[in-house]
Amino acid sequence: EILEITFGHYGSPFLKAVIDWIERSTNLKSLHIRNTCVGGKNKGQDAGIRLAKTLAAKKTIEYLRLDGTDLIGSRNVDECLEAFGNMTSLKKCCEEEIRYWE
């Protein structure tokens, strides 16, 4: 399975639903979130922590790409990197242009 989300500017409820779907998925191999921001000063990074922890628990994801999101920032980068480092099946991880508020 491949999940690609582009221009998903629908806020916290949308990303919560995406994370819930990822938790239930059994064969997700590739996730690409592009130009998708949760919004708000901390909401994006809070969602990023939950996403990272959810992804770390999945043993099927081989490709992860986050472009133009507000999911990772200075407040949560260490926690996210630790979670991504625990993704044993991950073969490629890419990130371009992070959008965040300090």
Side-chain angles (χ1 to χ4, degrees):
E1 292 180 329
I2 297 170
L3 177 60
E4 184 172 328
I5 298 169
T6 304
F7 296 108
H9 300 292
Y10 303 109
S12 296
F14 174 72
L15 201 60
K16 181 185 179 312
V18 169
I19 295 169
D20 290 345
W21 182 88
I22 291 169
E23 287 176 340
R24 291 188 310 275
S25 72
T26 58
N27 196 31
L28 181 62
K29 296 208 183 292
S30 178
L31 175 64
H32 184 179
I33 300 177
R34 174 176 39 205
N35 298 320
T36 298
C37 293
V38 174
K41 183 172 181 170
N42 296 320
K43 290 181 182 179
Q45 291 183 43
D46 291 343
I49 291 169
R50 181 167 177 235
L51 175 64
K53 289 179 179 181
T54 298
L55 294 174
K58 301 303 283 183
K59 304 301 179 202
T60 59
I61 297 176
E62 298 175 355
Y63 178 80
L64 172 63
R65 184 167 187 155
L66 303 172
D67 299 326
T69 76
D70 63 350
L71 301 176
I72 301 174
S74 61
R75 195 172 56 83
N76 71 352
V77 68
D78 292 336
E79 203 168 352
C80 289
L81 288 176
E82 181 180 342
F84 295 153
N86 290 328
M87 295 173 67
T88 56
S89 59
L90 190 63
K91 295 179 182 174
K92 186 171 183 181
C93 181
C94 303
E95 176 281 319
E96 293 180 14
E97 187 186 350
I98 295 176
R99 299 175 186 167
Y100 62 91
W101 291 264
E102 292 299 328

